[in-house]
Amino acid sequence: MEEKEISQAVVARLPRYFRYLGELKEQEVERISSGDLSVLMGVTASQIRQDLNHFGGFGQQGYGYNVDYLYHEIGRILGLDGEYRLIIVGTGNLGQALANYMNFEKRGFVVKGLFDISEGLVGKKLRGLEIMHINRMEQFIKEHKIDIAVLTVPKERAIETAEMLVHCGVKAILNFAHVDLNVPDGVQVENVHLSDSLMKLSYNIKRYEKNVRGNVSGVRKEG
Amino acid sequence: MEEKEISQAVVARLPRYFRYLGELKEQEVERISSGDLSVLMGVTASQIRQDLNHFGGFGQQGYGYNVDYLYHEIGRILGLDGEYRLIIVGTGNLGQALANYMNFEKRGFVVKGLFDISEGLVGKKLRGLEIMHINRMEQFIKEHKIDIAVLTVPKERAIETAEMLVHCGVKAILNFAHVDLNVPDGVQVENVHLSDSLMKLSYNIKRYEKNVRGNVSGVRKEG
């Protein structure tokens, strides 16, 4: 099936469909209507039908979606039918946590190498892989045809490290450094800015408290 | 200054403004035009003017924004003039990485307690804090008026742990478990789903390669 170019907003929602369908599959559910899926996922049925229509639509009116088929099709569309070779650059706490996070491999994201510049870390082993010095990275990326670099170096070194990664030919960077990377077209970047998530929380805590206070004082005035 | 209710899309962009303005401040830049800021941030000047207009607007035509003022106002709007008391629930690799990530404190997010259920972890110290058993969590949250829980327990225990956190009165959860939490109104949740970020990358890698192949075969046909 040929899919059309779809918006990044829809792409961003696909992993969630994939996750829910995977869970339905584990529960041996064979078919599900857009209505039931909408209750489960907390989005409207029309949103679901619209999103899945981007791929030509998999549902039949009054008959629902075939869970297994839809799960595999979305997986294929997300590129999860392939294998991706990863390196982790920066093996501090976060890099080590990610190296140990086995769930990635299940989806075809295989960690092939670990890199750092710290003398205390180079030579150590994590999950059977020896942490290598970053000056061996260029050769390694080329020899092992690395697709994705997970970047967990400190902010101060992130931009130059990303330039090196692009130069070596990685296709994508998962960036945890709290800085925007400037990469050429054709290199994909996803940012995970944890501080930004915390700031969104603090904004929403504050807004909620203000609304609650507002309501309370409104009640008082009427009393 | 009173700000109006603004969309979550704008809220999501505020931390990025805050970050860029912080960097300009460090470089001792006093004023910046929406045009210059737009080049720096890679968004249109009209987007910047629109976003900042939500807060009454801080700029003067032809004079630019006062960097220090705008930085502090956005910080205040994001609730960063307050202090937030955090606990980390789940001190595996990821929880330990987050506990060691000092940058949060600079912004007023202070880690007050660490919790786990593993015998191998309870009693150990991280950054001067002793990891406590999760059965001490309820009392701790109440005694220390905890605002935010960072949830890094395995997916299987995430939902019940979140329910416990809500019951104990936390205001917000930063959720790293790969599952959606169902919390009442008034409890804020931000999800950090790392697998979703990887899936977006694999989608974009595949799409880019398909486009490139498409163009190449297009050229061949013409040749």
Side-chain angles (χ1 to χ4, degrees), chain A residues 2 4 7 10 20 29 63 80 91 106 118 123-124 126 130 135 143 146 168 174 183 190 197 220 223:
Chain A
E2 272 305 306
K4 296 165 244 167
S7 77
V10 178
Y20 275 88
V29 175
Y63 193 56
L80 302 179
T91 55
K106 232 172 53 185
S118 151
K124 278 198 175 172
L126 271 179
E130 192 179 309
N135 62 21
E143 269 180 25
I146 296 303
C168 298
L174 182 61
V183 301
E190 277 292 320
S197 300
R220 276 195 196 128

Side-chain angles (χ1 to χ4, degrees), chain B residues 100-133:
Chain B
N100 282 303
Y101 192 52
M102 299 293 290
N103 242 0
F104 294 155
E105 302 225 333
K106 232 173 51 187
R107 300 272 173 253
F109 299 95
V110 183
V111 178
K112 293 286 182 183
L114 309 170
F115 294 90
D116 209 292
I117 53 165
S118 154
E119 275 185 32
L121 288 168
V122 173
K124 276 197 178 176
K125 280 204 169 186
L126 269 179
R127 287 187 58 199
L129 294 174
E130 191 178 312
I131 301 174
M132 290 172 276
H133 194 280

Side-chain angles (χ1 to χ4, degrees), chain A residues 38-95:
Chain A
S38 98
V39 172
L40 197 63
M41 293 183 63
V43 294
T44 65
S46 97
Q47 163 96 80
I48 290 178
R49 284 191 297 265
Q50 250 178 53
D51 281 349
L52 301 180
N53 260 341
H54 281 92
F55 313 101
F58 306 99
Q60 283 172 266
Q61 195 71 36
Y63 193 56
Y65 296 105
N66 178 318
V67 170
D68 187 66
Y69 177 74
L70 190 51
Y71 173 82
H72 282 106
E73 277 300 299
I74 292 183
R76 194 186 58 75
I77 287 160
L78 283 171
L80 302 179
D81 48 349
E83 189 187 271
Y84 299 89
R85 297 155 171 271
L86 269 66
I87 56 171
I88 295 175
V89 188
T91 55
N93 282 295
L94 183 60

Side-chain angles (χ1 to χ4, degrees), chain B residues 3-52:
Chain B
E3 61 267 15
K4 297 166 242 166
E5 191 88 359
I6 58 173
S7 77
Q8 287 292 310
V10 177
V11 174
R13 286 196 289 271
L14 288 184
R16 190 155 178 265
Y17 286 112
F18 186 71
R19 173 154 49 89
Y20 275 88
L21 289 164
E23 281 166 14
L24 288 169
K25 234 171 73 78
E26 274 175 30
Q27 292 156 30
E28 300 183 1
V29 175
E30 290 183 10
R31 304 197 74 85
I32 189 161
S33 67
S34 55
D36 288 350
L37 192 57
S38 100
V39 171
L40 196 63
M41 294 183 62
V43 294
T44 64
S46 97
Q47 164 95 82
I48 289 177
R49 284 192 296 265
Q50 250 177 54
D51 282 349
L52 300 182

